[in-house]
Amino acid sequence: MKVPFFDLTPQFSSIEEEIKSALEEVFKTQQFILGPKVEVLEQAIAQYCQTRYAIGVASGSDALLLSLMALGIGTGDEVILPPFTFFATAGSVSRVGATPVFVDIDPETYNMDPSKIEEKITSKTKAIIPVHLFGQCVDMDPLLQIAKKKKIFVIEDAAQALGAEYKPHQNANGQRAGEMGDLGCFSFYPTKNLGAFGDAGMVVTNNSDLAEKVRILRAHGSQPKYFHKWIGINSRLDTIQAAILLVKFKHLEKWTEARRKRAEQYQKLFQDLLSSVPGLRLPMIQYKNRHIFHQYVVRFPERNRLRQFLTEDGIGTDIYYPLPLHLQECYSFLKHRQGDFPISEKAAEETLALPIYPELKEEQEVFVVDRIKAFYKDRGLGV
Ligand SMILES: Cc1ncc(COP(=O)(O)O)c(C=O)c1O
């Protein structure tokens, strides 16, 4: 049996006709940039995220960049973020001329540890970017308290967390990823829970001034056309991508629930291995959060050997992320060293993402866990 790490083809087969007719509509109108489809998608995402505004942009990276620009963050400013995230979180900060200031993560959730933020705040700190990594929200209450006390902005990097909820209440939604900070940023990169057929992204906010500013900045800062209020960028959402995303959005809840079910199944299948393999850690769900399992990431002893073993068995896995940002070559000017953020460094060495997607079959999942059990059995561990 083969288990690819990720496979979009079954999802496409299930919606092929809907996608084709949505594209046909766009072809007939010959409108390719922004337009009514983008506006409908913006309304749908705003409603889904429980925010007043949503602005479609060209990628999740641009969503971060435009949020920083809208807040006027630039040269001489500092922005706090975790070193264990996708590069764009820090890259966008550097792009506006500001300095990324790293704060280590929690070893169980892999999200930024709010108890370590305050010691990093200086007179130059303008914002914090919590990253809701792998589909679970950062512990936002203490983070928001600090931000409020110190009067600094919060930009949520919710690229991996569309539909994730923080502290859900009984019989009611919790706070959705993206609605808790000043601005929330989403990515519709093809492998995301809601993926386009190319790059696309969205900024959400409850602040009308910031919404207006992002909207103007995404079109070269022009308002009205050819009169430039600010120096913006070209980061508009394509109509074709919006049409595709609107089709897929109708299925998002069903797909997310399928991912959550697959995660629950992994949790059950791994139970007996937990007590016999020291150091093996499954994803931890805080506060009964709604984790949307963009990734299912496990801490495994002998991670690299296990990965090789699974590859030979036809099982795809991936590493998110093999080198924390403070140790990246491009950030050598920040003068960080190995050991500066030990929890992120350990996570980079020990974690492995297993296949998880709505169409993953139960028998494929059983096979993945069986092969992992076989790996540890060969080492005299486990069942
Ligand atoms: C945490 C995080 N931030 C930002 C991004 C950037 O999004 P995009 O690839 O759409 O530019 C991604 C996605 O790749 C991400 O995972």
Side-chain angles (χ1 to χ4, degrees), residues 10 12 39 58 60 77 91-92 105 117 130 158 166 171 177 201 209-210 218 289 305 308 342 361 381:
F12 177 61
E39 283 165 29
D77 296 334
S92 58
I105 56 166
I117 293 175
Y166 178 60
N171 305 321
D209 292 341
L210 289 174
R218 77 172 168 186
N289 284 341
R305 283 212 189 97
Q308 183 59 33
K361 295 192 182 73
L381 296 167

Side-chain angles (χ1 to χ4, degrees), residues 345-359:
E345 290 164 24
K346 210 157 184 279
E349 282 165 19
E350 296 181 347
T351 58
L352 190 65
L354 301 181
I356 191 159
Y357 33 95
E359 302 78 15

Side-chain angles (χ1 to χ4, degrees), residues 58-64 84-90 92 129-134 157-161 185-192 198-202 294 320-321:
S59 69
S61 304
D62 277 2
L64 288 163
F84 194 59
T85 174
F86 179 62
F87 180 77
T89 319
S92 58
I129 309 185
V131 182
H132 305 313
L133 204 67
F134 307 141
D157 183 341
Q160 302 184 5
C185 301
F186 292 96
S187 164
F188 303 126
Y189 182 78
T191 60
K192 294 290 191 278
D199 280 312
M202 188 83 63
H294 170 59
Y320 299 110
Y321 297 91

